[in-house]
Amino acid sequence: MLKKSDCPFLSLFLICFFALLSNACKEKSEQQETDPTGHHSLKSTFTDAFYIGAALNKKTLEGTDSLGLAIVLKEFNAISPENEMKWMHIHPKKDSFHFAVADTYVALGKKHNMHTLGHTLVWHSQTAEYLKEIRDSATMASHLENHITTIVGRYRGKVDAWDVVNEALNEDGTLRETIFLEVLGESYIENAFTWVALADPEAEMIYNDYNLWKPEKRDGVVRLVRRLQAKNIKIDGVGMQGHWNLNEPSLEDIENSILAYNNLGLKVSITELDITVLPNPWDLEGAEISQNFEGSAFMNPYPDQLPDSVQVQLARRYKEIFQLFLKHRDKIKRVTFWGVHDGGSWLNGWPIKGRSNYPLLFDRDYLPKQAYDSIVSLTN
Ligand code: G3I
């Protein structure tokens, strides 16, 4: 029989073998701890490129969508409040602010060390009723200043970036006729940026809008930013909302806008990314958007599940878009999805109520889709 002393190398061999085995097991279990599904996370994928974020709705913030929240904590390092910081929710009456859900949102961001966006301070939509009655500029200015100063001051040092002004431009790049433009004139934009800077000098300040890939609207943003810069008013970034579809906008138009905004010395954020896979009623020439579309099989072609052929198209579209974002990683600060999973997307209800849309990276069962794999594979 072989004794230990007969073979001096045997003990050494066994010690080394068990040490290696135990190390391998430890590594495996550590990997499993951080990555139980076997997927890489989005935030680890893009860690050297830009923040990767998601908009959170009330259900996620109040804990009734715990699976959605679990995805956020695993995958994302930036958050946006889908609705809860809008004027009608946070400041519904002249002298009353409702901070409860916004406080929960900001605390979540800080607890998990996520880049936390404030959305949005000045927007013509979702304002409060009392604003609509104001006709004199001094009263309107004092309401706007109070709104901005109170909210930004409350979250000073906690909200990292603000969508200061949202959707102030028409499609041709001219200023949109809003209640603020009507009563205050175009100075409302510079005043808004100035008041945010006074309330929190460290916060990043963003102009945010949709269709910013369009050349005429792009020129409008350039004019708006130059006006601010000529007056030495601080603006840090442009937020390009990414409410796009499978074919439009072209990568070239997106790229030209990223370059144009970056040429102004600003960082670009892709702020509200989702890609609709459904037909758009406005593509139907001469057709009115009407109740007639609701329930129509043509306008809601995938009520139960997305066919594989469309999954593939969506994955391809996300992949090419993210390839472009990675190419311009030095100009892009953040890419944020407008929602967490398909079931929670606003696109199930707009522009036609009650459809099933599939615009995000996670499906209705909270599972990653092919689109997820297509972008995670880009840097792994
Ligand atoms: O909170 C009420 C709820 O009590 C009620 O039962 C329900 C019935 O319809 O409505 C709920 O309010 C809805 C709210 O979303 C929360 O779900 C509003 O009707 C609905 O108009 C609102 O839509 C939001 C929309 O902005 C208007 O504020 C969408 O969720 C939100 O995704 C969307 O986000 C905007 C960005 O802020 C700016 N850029 C465009 C983007 C898409 O429109």
Side-chain angles (χ1 to χ4, degrees):
M1 193 166 138
L2 192 64
K3 286 194 212 142
K4 256 198 205 167
S5 55
D6 295 337
C7 183
F9 293 113
L10 183 63
S11 321
L12 193 58
F13 170 79
L14 286 174
I15 290 168
C16 290
F17 175 77
F18 284 115
L20 282 173
L21 190 69
S22 116
N23 241 350
C25 289
K26 194 170 154 233
E27 268 175 29
K28 177 96 182 139
S29 96
E30 275 169 4
Q31 268 172 21
Q32 279 171 348
E33 251 171 53
T34 53
D35 193 13
T37 62
H39 284 273
H40 296 278
S41 71
L42 294 167
K43 63 185 172 190
S44 68
T45 300
F46 298 110
T47 187
D48 296 328
F50 33 70
Y51 288 114
I52 189 91
L56 308 188
N57 61 24
K58 202 174 177 189
K59 280 186 182 169
T60 314
L61 289 170
E62 290 186 334
T64 48
D65 185 7
S66 55
L67 293 175
L69 181 59
I71 290 181
V72 172
L73 299 182
K74 176 176 181 289
E75 300 284 346
F76 297 99
N77 54 19
I79 50 174
S80 300
E82 186 172 356
N83 286 306
E84 303 313 319
M85 282 183 162
K86 290 173 184 172
W87 199 311
M88 68 182 290
H89 295 294
I90 203 168
H91 189 182
K93 301 249 162 58
K94 249 182 227 169
D95 302 313
S96 103
F97 287 85
H98 289 186
F99 287 122
V101 194
D103 283 356
T104 304
Y105 163 78
V106 174
L108 181 83
K110 290 309 96 190
K111 181 174 175 197
H112 297 283
N113 198 22
M114 293 187 281
H115 183 82
T116 303
L117 181 88
H119 172 84
T120 171
L121 294 165
V122 187
W123 189 25
H124 62 279
S125 188
Q126 319 299 116
T127 57
E129 282 305 307
Y130 65 86
L131 277 187
K132 297 176 186 160
E133 292 153 18
I134 298 170
R135 287 281 148 249
D136 81 282
S137 59
T139 311
M140 180 64 97
S142 89
H143 277 297
L144 195 54
E145 181 177 6
N146 176 42
H147 179 78
I148 290 176
T149 306
T150 306
I151 297 170
V152 177
R154 182 179 183 90
Y155 299 121
R156 180 180 172 133
K158 295 178 180 159
V159 163
D160 300 292
W162 283 100
D163 285 343
V164 177
V165 176
N166 195 47
E167 300 171 11
L169 294 175
N170 294 313
E171 297 305 276
D172 65 0
T174 57
L175 285 180
R176 185 197 282 266
E177 281 292 329
T178 67
I179 186 164
F180 302 113
L181 184 68
E182 202 184 317
V183 181
L184 294 171
E186 65 180 62
S187 64
Y188 85 88
I189 297 179
E190 58 204 56
N191 286 337
F193 277 88
T194 304
W195 288 324
V196 175
L198 287 171
D200 187 352
E202 299 302 316
E204 180 191 347
M205 297 194 292
I206 295 171
Y207 175 72
N208 188 54
D209 208 332
Y210 59 81
N211 287 349
L212 291 196
W213 53 270
K214 284 190 174 173
E216 310 78 41
K217 212 162 176 180
R218 179 192 305 146
D219 293 346
V221 173
V222 170
R223 285 195 297 275
L224 183 155
V225 171
R226 286 209 174 117
R227 270 201 304 274
L228 295 177
Q229 291 176 331
K231 295 184 177 179
N232 282 327
I233 292 167
K234 181 173 165 278
I235 172 167
D236 303 293
V238 173
M240 293 177 65
Q241 296 180 21
H243 300 297
W244 299 334
N245 67 39
L246 288 171
N247 304 306
E248 289 178 321
S250 70
L251 295 179
E252 192 189 354
D253 278 332
I254 300 172
E255 181 166 41
N256 285 338
S257 288
I258 293 172
L259 294 171
Y261 305 142
N262 186 250
N263 276 339
L264 296 164
L266 305 182
K267 282 277 184 186
V268 175
S269 291
I270 309 297
T271 52
E272 302 183 13
L273 183 56
D274 46 25
I275 296 182
T276 179
V277 299
L278 297 186
N280 177 351
W282 293 305
D283 289 338
L284 300 177
E285 259 186 275
E288 283 279 319
I289 307 165
S290 74
Q291 298 292 316
N292 296 342
F293 289 125
E294 288 189 26
S296 115
F298 178 74
M299 296 311 275
N300 189 23
Y302 320 121
D304 303 320
Q305 62 175 30
L306 193 62
D308 202 49
S309 58
V310 190
Q311 290 281 14
V312 170
Q313 283 181 63
L314 183 68
R316 198 180 301 134
R317 177 76 165 140
Y318 265 118
K319 184 174 181 175
E320 60 190 25
I321 285 172
F322 270 80
Q323 278 168 331
L324 180 69
F325 295 163
L326 285 170
K327 176 178 169 193
H328 293 296
R329 65 177 73 189
D330 58 325
K331 305 170 190 70
I332 295 181
K333 172 130 191 192
R334 168 173 57 92
V335 177
T336 292
F337 290 86
W338 205 238
V340 178
H341 59 94
D342 288 343
S345 167
W346 74 291
L347 286 172
N348 295 306
W350 186 91
I352 297 172
K353 287 200 172 85
R355 297 197 294 178
S356 299
N357 210 330
Y358 304 82
L360 297 168
L361 300 185
F362 294 88
D363 68 17
R364 283 169 169 72
D365 294 323
Y366 300 85
L367 294 172
K369 295 155 62 176
Q370 284 182 40
Y372 176 100
D373 298 334
S374 77
I375 67 168
V376 163
S377 67
L378 285 173
T379 65
N380 286 305

